[in-house]
Amino acid sequence: MAIFIITEGITKLIPAGLLFPLAGVIIGLTLLRAWTSGRTNTRDRDLHGRMILVTGAFTATGLEIMLELAKRGAQIVALVPDLSDPLVQVLIQLIQQTTGNELVFAEKCDITSPASIRQFHETFVKGRTGTGMQSEPPRIDAVMFCHEYAHIGVWDRLGRSKAQRLEEEDRRRKNAYGTYFFSTLFLPFLLRSPAERDIRFINLVNPMYAASVSQFEPKGVAGVAASSSTSVTQLESERSLRSILFARHFQRVLDALVNPPVPPTSQDSTQVPITSKKQSNIKFVTACPGFGLEESIAPFLGATRNEAGVVQSRFGRFLYYTLWPLLFFIAKLPAATSQTPLYTLCVPHHHKVPKPSAEPVPSAEPQFSSPSQSASAKAKQSQEPEPVLTGGGLYRECDMVQLPTERGKWLMEEESVGRAVWEWLEAGVKAWEEEEKERLGTTDAKQGGQDPSTTAAAETAQPEVNVGSTLPGLKGKFKAS
């Protein structure tokens, strides 16, 4: 009866000649929405007992990632610049109640402030955070850098003042410095973790990196000046590509730490030292979520508000809401942008993948098997090997991808390019700290102006690893167990 009433209502509202075209349009839009949403992460991982730090936790993608991590039982620490914000506590409580996971916390750490990052590092290492682990040794299993994904800069055709361009470039610079500073500051702490522990750094980047592959120069890694002639897409693509190359070089550093240099042999010696190259248990990867509706399109059109709460472009906001029905079908929602980062967290680590068993010893006695058993055996042999997380890799649509063209491959594999990016970030962080000291009116730094790459916990005495002699891109000494 109900179906009959609905059918009668549809036939009265819609002419019979339009029913099939309308159904075709609905099916087409549904398929388009499914295609633009990209792949869905089909992998799962038990995260009970795992500590995961999340920056940019209260962005659209960051919230979706935290929700999925909480469902898997992870202990989450959301790093926020201001704990007094009532919205932070409300969202934390909502995640706890929705997932039934009480191990979701927020800690103060402004990723754009070196002093705040240092303070959080000191608090966390000494176990004084509010994460319920004061009586246990602190641990980190993963760090999700979600703060670098959101687009920075309004479309040039909507108009950008000089002050606005400088403010945008300052945000790009501080976000990149924050990722470098946080990673290198916590690295000595992570190097003291057990060698079999699965530790991951996952940095989210915007999808515009391909636009800078052809013009990216290592010597010009400092970036293009924020002039009126420089488009925002050029600046954003360079920022994204620089983050990808930094992750690749950081993984070189991590692998070098577990592969000491081969001792030189004398001319009279006939023995050649044989060493097997090891992989670090710490993986640093880049995840590109794609074009998100709220974190790529809306900021590009100026439909979002700045830190002062002012809409960046009124015309852009009008344009965004006018085109929203179309943008809904061609851009990703937060549930879709979170899939690739979740994949990089769930794909197996090389320590966790079982090694292939040895080939069976042939038997002299004949062995018989049914056709079904033979078919299943051939299917197992033809199966592709289990994918393993590749340190320094770029992941998009739940799969590892390469930078476009041969030049892109060269940029990823050329060590001098990664070293140039590293040294630019290293010099920038030093100037960034001095800049903050002057702004805050402080002259004496708590760490004495020490390079973040050389910072280690003073209360532990560990053997030193001279990384500078292994890779020129990383100066100073780390302490590792």
Side-chain angles (χ1 to χ4, degrees), residues 374-384:
S374 301
S376 61
K378 290 181 180 179
K380 289 182 180 179
Q381 292 177 359
S382 62
Q383 285 180 354
E384 296 182 357

Side-chain angles (χ1 to χ4, degrees), residues 312-356:
Q312 296 183 350
S313 173
R314 295 186 180 275
F315 177 73
R317 193 178 182 88
F318 168 78
L319 193 64
Y320 173 76
Y321 285 112
T322 303
L323 298 176
W324 192 90
L326 174 63
L327 297 175
F328 174 81
F329 288 99
I330 63 175
K332 291 184 176 183
L333 298 179
T337 57
S338 64
Q339 296 303 308
T340 298
L342 290 173
Y343 174 84
T344 58
L345 189 65
C346 295
V347 71
H349 193 275
H350 75 277
H351 283 172
K352 308 298 181 182
V353 176
K355 296 182 180 180

Side-chain angles (χ1 to χ4, degrees), residues 279-319:
Q279 296 184 39
S280 174
N281 64 307
I282 306 174
K283 301 294 184 183
F284 201 120
V285 300
T286 308
C288 179
F291 288 95
L293 182 61
E294 297 186 30
E295 291 170 280
S296 299
I297 307 299
F300 179 72
L301 294 177
T304 56
R305 298 180 182 272
N306 57 19
E307 296 180 356
V310 180
V311 177
Q312 296 183 350
S313 173
R314 295 186 180 275
F315 177 73
R317 193 178 182 88
F318 168 78
L319 193 64

Side-chain angles (χ1 to χ4, degrees), residues 221-242:
V221 75
V224 185
S227 62
S228 57
S229 60
T230 306
S231 66
V232 65
T233 54
Q234 183 179 357
L235 294 170
E236 281 296 277
S237 62
E238 183 178 313
R239 175 172 76 101
S240 179
L241 182 57
R242 187 187 304 124

